[in-house]
């Protein structure tokens, strides 16, 4: 304990005085009988120098005796004015101004003083260390308990960070027809509030009504860029009957925990550098602009205690949750999380450290006065997946491998029997928010979900690890804890699946696991026979907010519809034909060509449908939310603007902050996704905003372009799949504005010379609604129109005119010129 405290005192003093820690130089190996060192002795190598030690000066000398080392130290103290020369001393040896008495067990006055001061500091430091971290369990700033007015409302409320509330032990009977978590800024809970969606991730445009809870810990993220400072109360509120079931008031001026910005990595070796590192919560670091050459043979993110990184550290998983040696980084922004129960309050530094050679490539110190948000799962790590333009080619049939294609181009299964276990590897072309499921059918001879015993495998983005969970399906409903599509552990069983490995690259996820051929759970688990073929089922579907299997589609592309049988005792049963990362989708509807807007200084922005498989997603390659921007009544056209010119956007995307589905402020950004109001402060630093966002006196962002709500709606149903052109599709839509007397918002944007060539128009509150803005130099728009104008916002008459001009040059003099900017 004393050694650990001594090792931790120096960085605290150095950070307080502004001194930089200085490495003590290359270590010299000495025998057990040798007492000298080169830079540090063995104790200092492991624990750091004593707490009262001065910042060491670098020296190339190596001392091979105690006397020689003490003589050099005394010379340094004399040079610094800490000692005076006594003329009567032989060889110019110096003495300090203090008493010449020694402790009886010591031969050095300097060592006596260091030991005495060190003992005092140990006693004082023990109190400081004990009070450094918040008392556990820590949920943030306590606000208080919900007051119950009806329906059994209970819960203790905490402020986690500037935009997150935590309700400990929430209870509600679930009997109200239209109840939500509800916040607002009025003196008391009232209809003048807005919903906090729970769960945060949901399908559809409206959040789900609040369900029954008995003792649930709930994380609530304020929507639309709101902060706790913007609200006065939290309520459980019924919209239909305008009734307050329970409430709590937010104290004015509540000081909530906040992320902490640190310096960048100290640059010592292998090109390691970064921008300023942030502590997002008690377990999460955000490292922007990370560079490292990847050449360290055994390098890891490394945390520990002491005055500088040392061998007594702990590995930290990388941004993928892996403990493999670090790869190279080329300016990437990553987030990493401390493992186990370790928090930032337990460590003195974060480093990149080579374990094999005990070499520190660079580090950053952790302050002692932290007040960061607790790590309750509110910080969601975005997983970085390997991307490459290289496509794996189909391989020849490997030997002694069993492989069967379950869903064409999407899911394969490989298997092998090893002793009493069946080892299975699922290979699926799935997204990170999807699962892949495989198991024994509920009935032999056809695919039946009811009664089926399956394994659901996926990548857990919160825990940043691959998972494989044992499921039993008693009905086709979502699991309620007793019946439905349930993990065995939720219905009284256990997870009999042991995960072996996981990998994701080129958009393909591979998860290998094993299970006993015959478990001890006769009800929930079915045996894998080795004496016959057996029918199996498989599916791909979305994960819900609990990271459990949600309902999949019932088309043949995402679930087995034919009887698929496997003999698990077979050898070399390989019928897989394609590598999934080389598979291409079957031809679907032909996407509509991308449209362009050229030479227009005034652009109207409204909301409309995405156009299904012909529109937003195939044009952008991004998932859609069901609606998208219509600019000048065109679905996500690419807009061309010139530097130095001013453009006016007339925005009719909604201004009702209490209705997220009808609140879409427009802004211009560097992000291809948008949704600036949803981002954390660390994420916002990655994005550049060019127009449509301003900041209040406290530095909080708010949108400026929120006008009345106008939407292009289907007259009947979405017919995009059967309509070949957008112009024809447009005829199936009609424009509807909620408030005919409402006013649009105006966004005026002057394009400065420094604006990059590509930016985006997006929605402030939601992701993936907009598309590209091409920025060109003055006068270049007219040059572009010739090659891009065929899909621009021009009439068919002008198109025919251009064709005639191309075919019959002699008619040029007889025909009018096209408008400028086309």
């Amino acid at each position: 304990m004393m050694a650990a405290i001594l090792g931790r005192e120096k960085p605290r003093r150095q950070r307080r005085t502004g001194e930089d820690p200085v490495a003590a130089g290359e270590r010299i190996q000495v025998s057990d009988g040798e007492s000298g060192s080169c830079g540090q002795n063995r104790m200092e190598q492991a624990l750091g120098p004593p707490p009262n030690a001065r910042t060491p000066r670098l020296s190339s000398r190596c001392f091979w005796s105690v006397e020689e080392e003490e003589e050099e130290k005394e010379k340094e103290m004399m040079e610094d004015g800490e000692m005076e020369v006594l003329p009567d001393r032989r060889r110019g040896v110096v003495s300090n101004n203090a008493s010449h008495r020694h402790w009886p067990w010591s031969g050095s006055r300097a060592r006596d003083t260091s030991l005495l001061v060190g003992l005092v500091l140990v006693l004082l430091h023990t109190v400081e260390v004990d009070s450094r971290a918040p008392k556990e369990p820590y949920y943030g700033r306590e606000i208080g308990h919900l007051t119950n007015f009806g329906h059994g409302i209970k819960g203790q409320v905490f402020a986690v960070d500037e935009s997150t509330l935590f309700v400990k032990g929430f209870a509600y009977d679930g009997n109200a027809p239209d109840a939500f978590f509800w916040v607002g800024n009025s003196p008391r809970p009232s209809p003048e509030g807005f919903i906090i969606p729970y769960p945060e991730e949901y399908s559809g445009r409206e959040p789900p009504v609040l369900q029954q809870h008995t003792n649930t810990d709930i994380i609530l993220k304020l929507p639309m860029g709101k902060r706790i400072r913007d609200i006065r109360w939290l309520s459980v509120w019924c919209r239909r009957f305008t009734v307050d079931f329970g409430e709590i008031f937010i104290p004015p001026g509540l000081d909530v925990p906040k992320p902490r910005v640190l310096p960048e990595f100290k640059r010592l070796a292998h090109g390691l550098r970064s921008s300023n590192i942030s502590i997002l919560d008690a377990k999460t670091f955000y490292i922007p602009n990370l560079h490292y050459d990847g050449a360290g043979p055994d390098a890891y993110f490394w945390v520990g205690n002491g005055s500088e990184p040392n061998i007594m550290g702990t590995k930290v998983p990388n941004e993928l949750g892996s403990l493999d040696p670090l790869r190279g980084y080329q300016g990437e922004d990553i987030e990493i999380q401390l493992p186990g129960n370790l928090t930032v309050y337990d460590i003195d530094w974060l480093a990149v450290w080579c374990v094999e050679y005990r070499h520190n490539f660079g580090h950053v110190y952790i302050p002692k006065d932290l007040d960061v948000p607790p790590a309750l799962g509110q910080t969601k790590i975005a997983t970085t997946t390997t991307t490459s333009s290289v496509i794996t080619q189909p391989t020849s049939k490997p030997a002694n491998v069993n492989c069967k294609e379950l869903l064409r181009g999407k899911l394969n299964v490989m298997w092998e029997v090893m002793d009493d276990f069946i080892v299975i590897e699922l290979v699926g072309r799935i997204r990170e928010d999807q699962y892949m499921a495989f198991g024994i059918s509920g009935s032999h001879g056809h695919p039946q979900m009811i009664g089926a015993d399956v394994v659901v495998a996926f990548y857990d983005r919160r825990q940043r690890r691959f998972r494989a969970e044992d499921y039993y399906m008693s009905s086709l409903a979502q699991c309620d804890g007793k019946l439905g599509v349930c993990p065995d552990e939720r219905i009284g069983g256990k997870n009999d699946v042991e995960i072996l490995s996981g990998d994701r690259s080129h958009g393909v996820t591979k998860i290998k696991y094993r299970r006993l051929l015959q478990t001890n759970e006769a009800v929930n688990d079915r045996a894998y026979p080795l004496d016959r073929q057996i029918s199996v089922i498989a599916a791909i579907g979305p994960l819900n907010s609990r990271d459990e299997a949600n309902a999949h589609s019932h088309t043949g592309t995402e679930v087995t519809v034919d009887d698929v049988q496997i003999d698990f005792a077979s050898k070399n049963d390989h019928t897989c034909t394609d590598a999934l990362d080389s598979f291409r989708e079957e031809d679907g509807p032909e996407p509509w060509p991308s449209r362009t807007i050229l030479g227009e200084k005034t652009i109207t922005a409204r909301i409309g449908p995405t156009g299904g498989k012909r529109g937003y997603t195939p044009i952008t390659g991004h998932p859609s939310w069901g609606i998208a921007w219509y600019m000048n009544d065109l679905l996500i056209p690419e807009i061309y603007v010139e530097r130095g010119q001013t453009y006016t956007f007339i925005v009719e995307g909604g201004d009702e902050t209490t209705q997220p589905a009808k609140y879409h402020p427009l802004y211009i950004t560097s992000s291809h996704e948008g949704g600036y109001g949803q981002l954390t402060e660390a994420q916002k630093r990655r994005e550049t905003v060019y127009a449509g966002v301003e900041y209040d006196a406290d530095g909080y962002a708010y949108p400026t372009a929120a006008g009345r709500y106008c939407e292009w709606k289907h007259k009947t149903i979405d017919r995009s799949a059967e309509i070949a052109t957008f112009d024809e599709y447009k005829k199936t839509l009609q424009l509807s504005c909620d408030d005919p007397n409402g006013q649009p918002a105006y966004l005026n944007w002057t394009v400065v010379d420094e604006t990059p060539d590509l930016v985006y128009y997006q929605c402030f509150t939601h992701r993936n609604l907009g598309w590209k803005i091409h920025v060109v130099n003055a006068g270049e728009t007219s040059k572009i129109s010739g090659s891009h104008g065929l899909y621009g916002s021009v009439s068919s008459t002008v198109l025919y005119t251009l064709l005639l001009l191309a075919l019959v040059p002699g008619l040029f003099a007889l025909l009018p010129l096209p408008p400028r900017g086309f």
Side-chain angles (χ1 to χ4, degrees):
M1 176 66 181
M2 183 179 294
I5 293 174
L6 287 173
R8 294 178 62 161
E9 177 58 36
K10 182 177 178 182
R12 176 180 291 103
R13 182 183 66 81
Q14 288 172 336
R15 288 192 289 277
R16 190 165 56 244
T17 61
E19 298 174 7
D20 289 327
V22 181
E26 189 86 7
R27 271 55 166 165
I28 297 293
Q29 297 294 328
V30 296
S31 67
D32 293 339
E34 293 170 339
S35 59
S37 69
C38 182
Q40 286 182 311
N41 60 27
R42 287 183 180 270
M43 174 86 59
E44 291 181 356
Q45 290 181 38
L47 301 176
N52 62 313
R54 297 181 306 119
T55 301
R57 67 179 66 190
L58 293 174
S59 174
S60 59
R61 294 195 59 187
C62 296
F63 305 106
W64 300 102
S65 69
V66 173
E67 290 76 18
E68 185 179 1
E69 185 172 4
E70 288 179 356
E71 184 175 318
E72 179 67 13
K73 290 180 179 177
E74 288 179 341
K75 288 180 181 179
E76 292 178 5
M77 294 176 70
M78 179 186 68
E79 294 170 2
D80 293 340
E82 298 175 11
M83 303 182 70
E84 65 180 7
V85 178
L86 299 181
D88 59 339
R89 298 291 300 276
R90 180 171 54 88
R91 291 192 302 110
V93 178
V94 296
S95 170
N96 61 13
N97 293 323
S99 171
H100 293 257
R101 289 174 295 177
H102 293 187
W103 293 98
W105 58 81
S106 172
S108 167
R109 295 182 179 86
R111 184 177 301 164
D112 295 344
T113 305
S114 298
L115 181 60
L116 181 61
V117 174
L119 289 173
V120 174
L121 288 175
V122 165
L123 296 176
L124 295 175
H125 182 65
T126 301
V127 177
E128 181 178 355
V129 169
D130 289 342
S131 63
R132 178 187 177 192
K135 293 182 179 180
E136 294 293 340
Y138 179 57
Y139 305 116
R141 294 286 186 276
E142 182 177 2
I143 299 175
H145 291 265
L146 286 164
T147 302
N148 175 37
F149 298 135
H151 291 277
I153 299 298
K154 292 181 182 179
Q156 188 177 10
V157 183
F158 299 82
V160 177
D161 57 33
E162 294 173 322
S163 61
T164 308
L165 295 168
F166 177 71
V167 185
K168 178 68 176 174
F170 177 69
Y172 161 61
D173 64 14
N175 291 331
D178 198 31
F180 300 89
F181 287 111
W182 190 259
V183 293
N185 199 31
S186 55
R188 296 196 63 83
S190 71
E192 297 178 3
F194 54 90
I195 297 171
I196 303 183
Y198 183 81
E200 182 186 0
E201 298 175 354
Y202 58 90
S203 58
R205 296 195 183 184
E206 280 289 322
V209 297
L210 201 54
Q211 302 298 310
Q212 180 183 4
H213 295 272
T214 53
N215 186 26
T216 308
D217 293 341
I218 288 177
I219 294 175
L220 298 175
K221 297 285 289 185
L222 296 182
M224 298 175 293
K226 296 290 185 182
R227 300 291 186 269
I228 291 176
R229 61 188 291 274
D230 300 324
I231 63 175
R232 294 187 183 182
W233 42 262
L234 166 69
S235 168
V236 179
W237 179 268
C238 181
R239 286 191 309 182
R240 183 178 303 177
F241 296 105
T242 63
V243 177
D244 180 14
F245 298 152
E247 66 184 20
I248 189 170
F249 290 89
I250 312 298
L254 180 67
D255 182 24
V256 301
K258 299 179 178 64
R260 182 70 172 268
V261 179
L262 310 179
E264 63 181 56
F265 272 127
K266 189 176 183 68
R267 306 179 183 188
L268 298 180
H270 286 286
L272 179 69
R273 67 181 190 274
S274 69
S275 297
N276 287 356
I277 297 168
S278 294
I279 301 176
L280 302 184
D281 63 32
K283 295 183 73 69
T284 309
F285 289 91
Y286 166 58
I287 308 175
N289 194 31
L290 177 62
H291 289 78
Y292 163 60
D293 64 12
D298 196 27
Y300 304 88
F301 293 116
W302 191 255
V303 294
N305 301 121
S307 61
E308 63 182 32
N310 55 67
I311 61 173
M312 304 299 290
T314 301
K315 291 179 183 178
V316 179
N318 65 16
E319 73 280 7
L320 295 176
S322 170
L323 283 175
D324 292 335
L326 292 182
R327 62 180 176 87
Y329 294 90
Q330 299 294 323
E332 298 177 40
D333 300 339
I334 68 167
E335 294 171 3
I336 60 175
Q337 287 188 335
L338 298 176
N341 295 323
L342 202 62
T343 73
V344 293
Y345 297 103
D346 303 320
I347 60 176
D348 285 331
W349 37 259
L350 165 68
V352 174
W353 173 269
C354 182
V355 174
E356 182 177 353
Y357 291 96
R358 302 184 179 184
H359 191 186
N360 176 24
F361 297 165
H363 59 274
V364 64
Y365 287 110
I366 311 301
K368 303 301 178 185
D369 58 343
L370 292 176
D371 183 19
V372 298
L376 304 178
Q378 78 280 3
T379 304
K380 298 180 179 179
I381 302 296
T383 304
T384 303
T385 55
T386 305
T387 57
S388 174
S389 58
V390 179
I391 300 298
T392 304
Q393 297 299 322
T395 58
S396 59
K397 179 178 176 180
N400 300 319
V401 173
N402 300 304
C403 182
K404 185 174 288 289
E405 185 178 68
L406 300 171
L407 301 173
R408 185 172 182 272
K410 289 190 175 182
L411 183 60
N412 294 344
V413 62
M414 305 171 72
W415 71 92
E416 181 181 8
V417 175
M418 299 183 65
D419 299 325
D420 295 330
F421 291 87
I422 178 76
V423 178
I424 291 175
E425 182 172 17
L426 297 180
V427 183
R429 192 160 52 84
I430 61 173
R431 303 189 308 269
E432 287 182 352
D433 60 352
Q434 290 183 308
Y435 66 84
M436 46 188 175
F438 170 76
I440 298 176
S441 173
S443 176
H444 184 67
H446 65 279
Q448 177 177 302
M449 292 182 62
I450 297 178
D453 174 22
V454 302
V455 171
V456 173
F458 59 97
Y459 180 81
D460 189 324
R461 294 173 293 171
R462 298 177 185 177
Q463 301 183 29
R464 300 185 307 143
R465 64 186 180 93
F466 293 96
R467 289 171 57 185
E469 304 289 336
D470 205 355
Y471 271 65
Y472 180 75
M473 292 183 280
S474 59
S475 73
L476 301 184
Q478 191 176 71
C479 182
D480 62 3
K482 296 180 180 179
L483 301 173
V485 181
C486 294
D488 285 7
E489 291 181 324
R490 284 195 67 191
I491 54 177
K494 68 174 184 177
N495 183 20
D496 292 293
V497 177
E498 178 187 357
I499 193 161
L500 300 178
S501 65
D503 177 68
R504 180 173 172 84
S505 62
H506 304 297
V508 174
T509 299
K510 301 178 181 180
I511 298 178
K512 180 182 289 188
Y513 60 89
R514 72 174 188 173
R515 203 207 80 165
L516 285 168
L517 293 167
Q518 174 69 62
T519 72
N520 293 323
E521 295 187 54
V523 176
N524 300 333
D525 290 339
R526 302 188 58 186
Y528 280 74
L530 299 181
D531 58 348
R532 65 185 187 278
Q533 288 192 333
I534 190 169
S535 297
V536 297
I537 60 173
I540 288 174
L543 293 163
N544 63 20
S545 59
R546 295 176 59 100
D547 281 331
E548 293 180 356
N550 219 351
H552 52 73
S553 75
H554 290 275
T555 66
T557 61
E558 295 192 352
V559 66
T560 47
V561 294
D562 299 321
D563 181 31
V564 178
Q565 297 190 10
I566 291 179
D567 179 2
F568 287 101
S570 59
K571 303 287 187 181
N572 201 24
D573 179 9
H574 192 288
T575 58
C576 298
T577 56
D578 290 299
L580 294 187
D581 46 11
S582 68
F583 184 83
R584 296 293 181 264
E585 291 276 10
E586 292 183 355
D587 292 338
E590 188 69 23
W592 295 320
S594 178
R595 321 281 287 196
T596 61
I597 293 179
L598 294 159
E600 299 287 344
K601 294 292 186 66
T602 301
I603 300 171
T604 300
R606 295 175 174 135
I607 298 298
T610 57
K613 294 184 178 180
R614 295 185 185 271
Y616 184 92
T617 297
I619 291 173
T620 65
H622 301 152
S624 72
W625 189 59
I627 58 174
W629 281 116
Y630 276 52
M631 313 301 280
N632 282 357
D633 298 331
L634 299 173
L635 172 60
I636 55 162
E638 298 187 20
I639 302 173
Y640 284 79
V641 299
E642 295 183 355
R643 294 181 175 89
Q645 299 295 318
T646 298
Y647 296 84
T648 299
F649 292 83
I650 304 172
V651 185
E652 296 177 330
D655 55 5
E656 299 182 48
T657 58
T658 60
Q659 296 189 41
K662 293 186 177 182
Y663 184 57
H664 308 292
L666 182 76
Y667 78 116
I668 311 300
T669 173
S670 63
S671 171
H672 66 270
E673 290 187 328
Y676 193 77
Q678 297 184 20
L679 305 181
T680 65
E681 294 303 316
Q683 291 170 328
K684 287 178 180 177
R685 288 193 287 270
R686 309 177 195 178
E687 185 173 333
T688 302
V689 175
Y690 301 98
V693 176
E694 293 184 1
Y695 299 85
D696 62 17
D698 295 321
Y700 293 108
Y702 65 90
T704 60
R708 68 170 185 169
Y709 186 72
C710 292
E711 179 181 358
W712 285 97
K713 297 182 177 180
H714 297 290
K715 294 178 181 177
T716 54
I717 62 173
D718 185 357
R719 298 175 53 203
S720 58
E722 61 190 76
I723 298 178
T725 68
F726 174 76
D727 290 334
E728 290 299 316
Y729 176 71
K730 182 80 172 298
K731 295 176 183 178
T732 69
L733 308 177
Q734 59 185 3
L735 184 64
S736 173
C737 296
D738 284 2
D739 184 1
N741 298 319
Q743 296 298 315
Y746 293 88
L747 190 159
N748 294 310
W749 177 36
T750 300
V751 187
V752 299
D753 291 342
E754 294 78 19
T755 308
D757 293 341
L758 182 62
V759 296
Y760 299 85
Y761 56 91
Q762 294 288 2
C763 171
F764 181 85
T765 55
H766 300 91
R767 294 189 175 116
N768 296 321
L769 264 69
W771 196 220
K772 297 177 179 178
I773 299 178
H774 299 276
V775 181
V776 299
N777 294 327
E780 291 186 0
T781 303
S782 58
K783 301 177 184 178
I784 298 169
S785 63
S787 58
H788 294 263
L790 292 180
Y791 303 126
S793 56
V794 296
S795 68
S796 58
T797 302
V798 178
L799 293 178
Y800 289 134
T801 300
L802 285 178
L803 292 174
L804 288 172
L805 286 173
L807 295 173
V808 190
L811 295 177
F812 178 79
L814 302 177
L815 295 175
L817 292 174
R820 178 176 175 79
F822 174 77

